[in-house]
Amino acid sequence: MMADTPLDLLARISWRTTKNALMVGVMAAAVTLVAIPLVAVLWSVIEKGAAIAFHGFPDFFTSTIPVISTEAGPGMGPAIVGTLLATGGATFIAVPLGVLGAVYLHEYGGTGTFARLVRFMATVMTGVPSIVMGLFVYLTWTMNFGYTAFGGALALACLMLPVVIGSTEQMLRLVPAPLREAAYALGATARFNAGTSPS
């Protein structure tokens, strides 16, 4: 039989441990309170949406939207096609321009006046709310040329462009200098400044 442990060597529960346990309990209760309505909403959406979507499959995904909003029936085809057109068009516009802009800023622009202006405008565009950008495109494009998928793609591309520029420029900064020099040694075109020609 083991000898009794002296009272001085017994582990004491400190106030820090008690506070930690209390905060863990509070956080668990908060997560539970937030998760209950979220799970209820998701369950309602899945329960009612699945019945509608799979009852009329595949008409729900291909048919047109009913003209009368209160009329029951399938019809998400135009919405799906419009979403694909808008996102595809925005990607087609923003990604090439963003990558080219980032390459210019990192490889050629440096700290020049125009490069600093482009960086500043990209930073400003990052903070523009989507509703403001949508209103701008609506006033400049939709009011003049009508409702088209290109208008939505243009608004989404304006929101995507600064993100693509920033992300691409950050990735270019991660390329180590020895790797660049090795690429130049293998015949890659080196960067050039104003007044010189590329190698």
Side-chain angles (χ1 to χ4, degrees):
M1 184 174 180
M2 297 179 61
D4 295 336
T5 304
L7 295 177
D8 294 339
L9 298 180
L10 291 176
R12 296 180 180 179
I13 300 177
S14 64
W15 173 236
R16 179 178 297 178
T17 305
T18 305
K19 286 192 297 183
N20 183 56
L22 288 175
M23 289 300 105
V24 169
V26 170
M27 291 298 296
V31 170
T32 303
L33 290 176
V34 172
I36 289 175
L38 178 62
V39 172
V41 170
L42 289 176
W43 176 258
S44 178
V45 170
I46 293 174
E47 182 183 15
K48 296 180 180 180
I52 296 174
F54 294 105
H55 178 71
F57 185 84
D59 293 337
F60 177 78
F61 299 99
T62 57
S63 300
T64 58
I65 301 173
V67 178
I68 302 174
S69 60
T70 58
E71 180 182 349
M76 293 305 294
I80 295 174
V81 173
T83 300
L84 294 176
L85 288 175
T87 54
T91 304
F92 183 76
I93 295 171
V95 170
L97 290 178
V99 171
L100 290 175
V103 170
Y104 167 76
L105 291 177
H106 187 264
E107 299 294 335
Y108 304 106
T111 58
T113 304
F114 182 71
R116 286 189 282 110
L117 178 62
V118 172
R119 286 193 184 94
F120 174 76
M121 294 303 297
T123 304
V124 170
M125 288 179 63
T126 304
V128 175
S130 57
I131 185 65
V132 175
M133 190 64 71
L135 182 60
F136 172 75
V137 173
Y138 176 79
L139 294 176
T140 57
W141 177 266
T142 307
M143 293 289 289
N144 296 321
F145 302 100
Y147 291 94
T148 59
F150 182 77
L154 190 60
L156 189 57
C158 291
L159 295 172
M160 291 173 58
L161 185 60
V163 178
V164 175
I165 291 176
S167 301
T168 306
E169 190 174 9
Q170 291 297 326
M171 292 301 103
L172 290 174
R173 289 177 181 174
L174 295 178
V175 177
L179 186 60
R180 291 177 180 275
E181 295 172 357
Y184 298 155
L186 293 175
T189 302
R191 72 171 66 185
F192 63 95
N193 299 321
T196 61
S197 59
S199 58

